[in-house]
Amino acid sequence: MAVVLEWQSEAMKPWSTSTENELRHLLNEWDPIGVADLVQDEYDCMLAPLLGRLCRNASQTEIGEFLRHELKDHFGLDPLGLRPDAMAARVIAWWTSVDPV
């Protein structure tokens, strides 16, 4: 039964594994904590929320607010020097250039 549920959850994603991997790569390049060289999945907690927002055509402002919130409330960082708005612009630019499925 777990296999069926896993398959169903994968089938319900409106994006592909390669799209998820590309976003993971972008987050690891940004690397606000500075650990991506050691921990490749550190920012995976942001993948589904970001991709969900992107699938719903979230604005750059909304993506920036999400990133700012994650930096501050999830990772305990001061987002000021980490440029979440610039990263939001990069994520939006990437999203518009890919076919998410």
Side-chain angles (χ1 to χ4, degrees), residues 21-37 39-40 42-47 50 62-75 77-91:
N21 288 335
E22 288 177 27
L23 182 55
R24 179 180 294 112
H25 178 75
L26 283 176
L27 292 170
N28 284 339
E29 282 185 340
W30 181 40
D31 196 16
I33 298 175
V35 298
D37 289 340
V39 185
Q40 294 295 307
E42 181 65 28
Y43 308 111
D44 280 8
C45 58
M46 292 192 280
L47 290 177
L50 277 171
E62 184 181 341
I63 299 295
E65 288 171 2
F66 169 77
L67 293 173
R68 192 173 299 103
H69 171 78
E70 287 297 296
L71 290 171
K72 184 177 178 189
D73 294 338
H74 180 80
F75 293 106
L77 301 171
D78 179 1
L80 185 61
L82 299 172
R83 304 183 59 214
D85 295 327
M87 183 58 182
R90 188 171 178 204
V91 167

